[in-house]
Amino acid sequence: MTALTPPERVAIVEVAPRDGFQSIRDPLPTADKRRCIEALLDAGVTRLEIGSFVSPKAIAQMADTGDLVAAFADRPGVRLSALVPNLKGAELALAHGIREVVYVVSVSESHNRSNVRRSPDESLEDLGRVIERLRQTDGTRLRLDLGTSFDCPFEGTVAWQSVDRVLGKALELAGDLPLEVALCDTTGRASPYQVADHFTRLRERHVRPGLDWAFHGHDTFGMGVANALFAIHHGATAVDSACAGLGGCPFAPGATGNTATEDLIHALHGGGVETGIDLPTLLEAADRIAALPGGQTASHLRQVPRDRVS
Amino acid sequence: MTALTPPERVAIVEVAPRDGFQSIRDPLPTADKRRCIEALLDAGVTRLEIGSFVSPKAIAQMADTGDLVAAFADRPGVRLSALVPNLKGAELALAHGIREVVYVVSVSESHNRSNVRRSPDESLEDLGRVIERLRQTDGTRLRLDLGTSFDCPFEGTVAWQSVDRVLGKALELAGDLPLEVALCDTTGRASPYQVADHFTRLRERHVRPGLDWAFHGHDTFGMGVANALFAIHHGATAVDSACAGLGGCPFAPGATGNTATEDLIHALHGGGVETGIDLPTLLEAADRIAALPGGQTASHLRQVPRDRVS
């Protein structure tokens, strides 16, 4: 038995502006989104998935992503990223000043088709083009989100070998481009030991300079915090979460609720882990986000008497 | 980095009949409780904290504990325990056929006074008398619940040294009596790394044959599953949980919701850990428990489409 010791620091990637807002059907006023993002930055958030450069026909809620990038791109010390489903999205993101492009491929065929209407291999082909485009712009980096890395709403449990296959191809394409790979528990059904197993096996097989690992989870099955900590113990240096637990995946039935940033922060700060985030201020941001019309939130910390939070 | 590997087996101590029912103010009909307990046993539960031998004036809901013990004491393969606040309770428990007595001492002075109206040292004195009484009956064992082992609703964070002081005295009193010590996160505010730290330090300091370790947690802060798994990794061989997440501590403000047994089982079975419990059948018991009038439940698994649970 080895004692589970906390790492010195974990990077929190706040995804409420993308995965969270996206779960709200009726487009929110851009000014409201800006106030929420300001509140997140006030709390010390330094990595922010600010939106998605997708067709407004597909997701109307993301139509103002360019405006949000423009509003926050010059904030010192803030690392913005934006999700893109294809080369066109990547072009738009770069044109708007985004330097970290989040590209999603779902490991499971049926989820990838449901999400972006093509096979994982077709998504990988397009990833090749995105990578070529990123190479032409200095200072760019890629965040690769491997959706359904543990479980698929249509196909059930996903084997690590399936993740390995998609990841291997993506890494071949990426060459030496700075890259953070996120294993995404899209449905929230992964168990902590499965998270540990996938991280262990994949990190053993794929080692190269400039390759970092991250975890993206949902708390649907109550595994949110445990899965994140198990991922961290097995090499993830960044974890996605959404303030107030806003979110869900519109294409993954039953996948309500990103893991709440405040819950994760409570867990990490309890071990003295540095996150740069001030929890009481983050809870003010969570209150603001929870007050947005049409949102579904899932935060434990917000329900605790505020004087019990530190 | 050492891979977090699952243990072969974890004992689940189902506490819904005690910690859960106790949180419901108006006494439930004994027949309803029996049906809930039958449903739990159908699901494969083998350890059950069935009630509490306390004054009915203090907790009216526990007045029928003797009847419940009588109804289930002869079930083969089922290990019943009952909570007692003092020697009188222990006498009653033994007279009703209980062979595992759960004695609670809160580490924090103010919580112990709020809970049983005496200081921890006074509780320990009485524990000495309970232990003497247990020694006179063959086949008895003690479960020592150390309440507020991590956090107190009145005093805040509890240092491991404070737990150590109470535990050390209790172990002196216990001698070689078979004993399971549960570190209890009464408020749910413990962080996983704090759980890891307390288990590591206390298990290093207290080693003797017949001493087992357990964890009792609440999911109030969203740490329920993570805390349980961290405890297991650091030597807990048994974990308390309540089916449907029924419960809370009436004397710990904001402490709503024992960790739901079904959430914990999902986490454990995902790592191939044996628990002896059938999850779909347990969810039927959870539905029955959640339908009880006046109960507050907090289960993630129950909210997931049933065909996603296995």
Side-chain angles (χ1 to χ4, degrees), chain A residues 1 4 151 189 233 308, chain B residues 1 151 189 233-234 308:
Chain A
M1 199 187 69
L4 276 169
D151 177 67
R189 187 166 172 260
H233 187 72
R308 298 286 288 134
Chain B
M1 198 188 72
D151 177 67
R189 187 165 172 263
H233 187 73
H234 293 87
R308 298 285 289 136

Side-chain angles (χ1 to χ4, degrees), chain B residues 181-197:
Chain B
V181 170
L183 304 186
C184 301
D185 179 23
T186 308
T187 63
R189 187 165 172 263
S191 80
Y193 295 113
Q194 190 192 13
V195 171
D197 185 56

Side-chain angles (χ1 to χ4, degrees), chain B residues 60-190:
Chain B
Q61 186 64 269
M62 294 288 107
D64 59 357
T65 296
D67 298 333
L68 293 173
V69 174
F72 293 101
D74 61 352
R75 293 297 170 97
V78 177
R79 178 172 159 187
L80 295 185
S81 62
L83 193 143
V84 308
N86 49 35
L87 178 63
K88 188 181 166 194
E91 298 274 7
L92 275 170
L94 292 172
H96 279 87
I98 282 290
R99 288 297 169 268
E100 179 165 20
V101 162
V102 183
Y103 189 85
V104 187
V105 185
S106 282
V107 170
S108 105
E109 169 106 17
S110 50
H111 188 263
N112 204 64
R113 286 194 185 279
S114 163
N115 208 7
V116 291
R117 299 176 198 286
R118 28 186 206 185
S119 71
D121 281 337
E122 287 166 326
S123 281
L124 284 168
E125 271 176 42
D126 207 34
L127 172 63
R129 292 187 280 272
V130 169
I131 286 169
E132 284 317 306
R133 183 63 191 79
L134 291 180
R135 283 193 198 290
Q136 295 159 23
T137 309
D138 279 348
T140 53
R141 54 166 69 226
L142 177 65
R143 175 24 130 71
L144 178 66
D145 275 9
L146 293 175
T148 63
S149 275
F150 306 94
D151 177 67
C152 166
F154 313 112
E155 300 176 28
T157 303
V158 172
W160 70 265
Q161 292 91 339
S162 304
V163 189
D164 187 52
R165 195 189 68 85
V166 175
L167 176 58
K169 290 184 182 178
L171 287 174
E172 264 179 46
L173 295 166
D176 60 356
L177 192 73
L179 173 61
E180 187 174 74
V181 170
L183 304 186
C184 301
D185 179 23
T186 308
T187 63
R189 187 165 172 263

Side-chain angles (χ1 to χ4, degrees), chain A residues 1-4 6 151 189 191-193 219-223 229-230 233-234 263 266-267 270-271 300-301 304 308 310, chain B residues 1-4 6 151 189 191-193 219-223 229-230 233-234 263 266-267 270-271 300-301 304 308 310:
Chain A
M1 199 187 69
T2 314
L4 276 169
D151 177 67
R189 187 166 172 260
S191 81
Y193 294 113
D219 196 34
T220 316
F221 287 68
M223 306 294 118
L229 296 188
F230 272 53
H233 187 72
H234 291 87
D263 294 358
H266 177 80
H300 292 83
L301 263 278
V304 166
R308 298 286 288 134
S310 56
Chain B
M1 198 188 72
T2 315
L4 276 168
D151 177 67
R189 187 165 172 263
S191 80
Y193 295 113
D219 196 35
T220 316
F221 286 67
M223 306 294 119
L229 297 187
F230 272 53
H233 187 73
H234 293 87
D263 294 359
H266 178 79
H300 293 83
L301 262 279
V304 167
R308 298 285 289 136
S310 56

